[in-house]
Amino acid sequence: MNRITTFAVTALLALLMVSCSESRKPWRIGVSQCSEDIWRHKQNGELIVGGYVDNAVELEFLSADDSDERQIEQINHFIEEKVDLIIVSPNSAASLTPVIDKAYDSGIPVILFDRRTDSDKYTAYISADNYAIGNTMGKLIARDMKGKGTLVEITGLKGSSPAKERHRGFADAIAEYPQIRLISSELGDWTEESGIKAMAEVLKHDRDIDCIFGHNDRLALGARNVALSHGLKNIKYYGVDALPVPGGGIDQVQKGVFEATYIYPTQGLEVMRLARKILNGEKYERYNKLHSSVVDKSNADLLLAQHREMERVGNDIKTIHAKVDEYFTQVNLQQKIIIIFIVVIVIIVTLCVLTYRFYIAKVMVNEEVAKEVVSPMASIPSTEMSENDKHVIPVPNTFLDRFRSILQQNLQDADFNVERIGEEMGMSRVQLYRKIKSLTGMTPVELLRKARVARGKQLLESTDRSVSEIAYDVGFTAPSYFAKCFKDEFGISPGEARCSK
């Protein structure tokens, strides 16, 4: 009897040891992005891949959509959740300094990426040299202008450290060329729409312009659209970011739309490597400079080819990671089932020997409720189904019906986001994400975007409103982003969709 009891205790201890070894508490990292655009989407994807090196990492991404108030709320959320580390790109230095100081003072390591605050209360900073970027572009433009002519600068968001540093570097560079006249340093906010507004303001006073420097590629593209609409076709354009995606900066250089741009590296892998060093107590550098370079006709083709190869490798890594995860999940599950089975048998035998009179007659088996299977079309919120979708019969689901109803009621609100959905559903962002993902296979952000694009398609087919009006009407803050999402969803541009109706 003592041997059986000893064996039972030993088996239980073995089970606990296996469970503890497999359920090491993961590092929880909060990522606070100042905005949501293609550049930051690329970086977020790299952060996820960087987390594959150490499976014990959980990432939570939040975007402030260019709002200081929203980013302050989101960082306070991370502080309340007591995450292990925060990665943040502050929307503006002055407004975000107090809450980032608060996070640092609470003992949470803080990595500033891309942008600084007005304080030294942070753990590490990693970014390209924005002064050098502005200075290099200024010298390049001055040489292309042969040291004389008229020039317009369209800056990034007022108060953001990249905008201030790029302007300072640019101004220092062109100051060496007295025959270059800087007509205006017009204020933008990193979006193409602000580039459009800035250029429209410039053209009220002066149309004799040789070159335009945008603090990012979107600003330069916005300015170009306005200039062309006014019949100005001989202006040269320069930007920063050099995203290697269709319509990105490198693509614009390759097509001859831009004279040059400057790579502003996302480097999510480097940011995650730095985060792991901090969390694991390893030696790290507090100031980390990312290297980058000019992109012009001489190297655009090569850089695009390199990007395609890196993208292919990245997709392969994601596929391999998913398969390895699936394999180890199956193996661990089998091991746990075997150990649990042995322990249960030993406990039953031990109780029989000790009591002599009792026999265990019932074994309670709790099975996890099978996940609901919801058809992909039923999970996409829309105000009405298209003709091609009417054959799909949605599976009744009160939770999804409520979620869909909330989306439909708020599609026009550009500020409506996942946090707001969670508030109306009475759930936290994480709870909502997990629930929606388990039911539909998609994230709340993806479903919100699908709903807006679907509504936009209906308006394109049923009204004569412009693409820009429809984009704003369905909650997009940028017509260009609406067009990109529309093409990703339907394979054609909004203009092509209207022509085919």
Side-chain angles (χ1 to χ4, degrees), residues 142 145-150 177 179-181 210:
M145 295 174 68
K146 295 182 172 52
K148 61 181 179 180
T150 54
Y177 299 86
Q179 295 186 59
I180 291 179
R181 183 167 65 93
D210 295 314

Side-chain angles (χ1 to χ4, degrees), residues 40-51:
R40 300 203 180 271
H41 289 169
K42 181 174 182 290
Q43 185 189 62
N44 288 346
E46 292 167 353
L47 288 170
I48 291 171
V49 172

Side-chain angles (χ1 to χ4, degrees), residues 245-392:
V245 297
I250 300 181
D251 189 32
Q252 302 296 350
V253 171
Q254 189 184 47
K255 292 176 179 176
V257 175
F258 286 178
E259 299 299 313
T261 182
Y262 199 103
I263 296 174
Y264 194 55
T266 49
Q267 288 292 0
L269 294 174
E270 286 298 320
V271 178
M272 185 54 67
R273 186 176 290 114
L274 176 60
R276 289 200 309 272
K277 284 183 178 180
I278 294 170
L279 290 171
N280 291 323
E282 301 173 14
K283 185 178 179 181
Y284 65 90
E285 298 293 332
R286 191 177 189 219
Y287 301 99
N288 302 268
K289 184 183 293 185
L290 299 176
H291 298 286
S292 54
S293 62
V294 172
V295 179
D296 55 24
K297 274 286 189 179
S298 68
N299 58 4
D301 291 339
L302 175 62
L303 290 170
L304 284 175
Q306 288 177 337
H307 168 70
R308 285 192 288 268
E309 179 61 20
M310 291 175 64
E311 194 173 45
R312 184 190 65 77
V313 172
N315 289 335
D316 289 345
I317 290 173
K318 290 179 181 178
T319 302
I320 292 170
H321 183 267
K323 290 182 178 179
V324 170
D325 257 2
E326 181 182 359
Y327 170 77
F328 280 108
T329 298
Q330 293 172 349
V331 170
N332 291 339
L333 181 61
Q334 292 171 359
Q335 291 174 343
K336 288 177 181 178
I337 290 174
I338 291 171
I339 293 173
I340 291 171
F341 179 77
I342 293 172
V343 171
V344 169
I345 294 299
V346 170
I347 290 174
I348 291 174
V349 172
T350 302
L351 290 175
C352 287
V353 172
L354 291 173
T355 60
Y356 291 103
R357 297 179 181 180
F358 296 100
Y359 175 76
I360 305 299
K362 297 181 181 179
V363 177
M364 300 297 295
V365 179
N366 294 323
E367 297 181 345
E368 183 180 354
V369 178
K371 292 181 179 178
E372 295 179 79
V373 178
V374 181
S375 69
M377 187 55 64
S379 69
I380 299 175
S382 61
T383 54
E384 66 181 84
M385 284 189 175
S386 67
E387 288 297 322
N388 294 331
D389 300 330
K390 288 183 178 178
H391 68 281
V392 180

Side-chain angles (χ1 to χ4, degrees), residues 22 24-28 48-59 276 320-322 324-326 328-329 332:
E22 292 178 352
R24 168 192 161 195
K25 184 180 178 182
W27 297 116
R28 296 166 60 232
I48 291 171
V49 172
Y52 291 164
V53 176
D54 186 351
N55 277 330
V57 170
E58 289 182 358
L59 291 165
R276 289 200 309 272
I320 292 170
H321 183 267
V324 170
D325 257 2
E326 181 182 359
F328 280 108
T329 298
N332 291 339

